[in-house]
Amino acid sequence: MTRAVLSIGSNLGDRFAFLRSVVDGLRPFVVAVSPVYETAAWGVQDQPDFLNAVVIVSGEGIDEWGWLRRGQELENAAGRVREKRWGPRTLDVDVVSVDGVTSDHPELLLPHPGAFERATVIIPWLDVEPDAVLPGHGPVAALPFSSEGVRRRDDLVLTSGWMDS
């Protein structure tokens, strides 16, 4: 049984529907889903704001590569086009952490680079896992980050109650 932390984001098209497609696509594996946040773009700043969330998943026989492939399949289904690094996108599914595994493989860096300083990952992750630990960086709650440009969107709920049933 592996447990992974996925960061999801969208800033093109129906942003909320794209986030919802990840939660729906991973439904059998979903352990927790954070609230949705609206955030200023990171990296390339001349683009629309993102909707972001964190999804905690767990599955039997799925390793870090399996979580990466599932995320990429969901991105492809959302019409993700990789034209510009950190550019606008319909859907971004990042594997942040998988059971403390570290990887320096160019296709799967773990923990996800930059996650330790991005409020778009840290804030929603702490919502669903206040005692989270990021390998190589320690407790997520102790990481230095700025919450500037991050706004919680309580009007957008990804689970619609299905996790409680």
Side-chain angles (χ1 to χ4, degrees), residues 97-122:
S97 179
V98 180
D99 285 336
V101 172
T102 58
S103 170
D104 61 0
H105 192 286
E107 291 179 43
L108 181 59
L109 299 170
L110 287 175
H112 190 278
F116 68 93
E117 62 187 357
R118 294 187 190 159
T120 58
V121 175
I122 295 170

Side-chain angles (χ1 to χ4, degrees), residues 8-165:
I8 61 176
S10 173
N11 76 336
L12 292 177
D14 188 340
R15 302 174 302 162
F16 183 63
F18 288 128
L19 295 187
R20 198 171 48 239
S21 74
V22 174
V23 175
D24 289 344
L26 296 173
R27 186 177 288 198
F29 310 105
V30 172
V31 173
V33 180
S34 77
V36 175
Y37 287 84
E38 189 156 20
T39 62
W42 187 92
V44 177
Q45 296 175 341
D46 184 22
Q47 58 181 311
D49 287 350
F50 279 83
L51 289 183
N52 292 98
V54 162
V55 180
I56 309 288
V57 291
S58 181
E60 190 71 41
I62 305 172
D63 65 6
E64 61 274 17
W65 290 98
W67 293 119
L68 177 66
R69 282 191 298 278
R70 287 170 191 274
Q72 290 171 336
E73 288 167 4
L74 293 164
E75 289 176 342
N76 291 338
R80 167 80 187 260
V81 177
R82 298 175 192 281
E83 292 178 348
K84 184 178 197 179
R85 185 172 186 180
W86 298 318
R89 61 209 84 150
T90 54
L91 183 61
D92 189 26
V93 180
D94 289 333
V95 179
V96 175
S97 179
V98 180
D99 285 336
V101 172
T102 58
S103 170
D104 61 0
H105 192 286
E107 291 179 43
L108 181 59
L109 299 170
L110 287 175
H112 190 278
F116 68 93
E117 62 187 357
R118 294 187 190 159
T120 58
V121 175
I122 295 170
I123 293 172
W125 190 1
L126 289 173
D127 279 337
V128 292
E129 195 171 43
D131 59 347
V133 174
L134 185 63
H137 298 279
V140 174
L143 296 173
F145 65 93
S146 169
S147 60
E148 184 178 336
V150 180
R151 181 172 60 95
R152 187 167 163 157
R153 293 287 307 268
D154 289 326
D155 58 316
L156 302 175
V157 179
L158 286 170
T159 58
S160 301
W162 62 259
M163 286 187 67
D164 302 325
S165 54

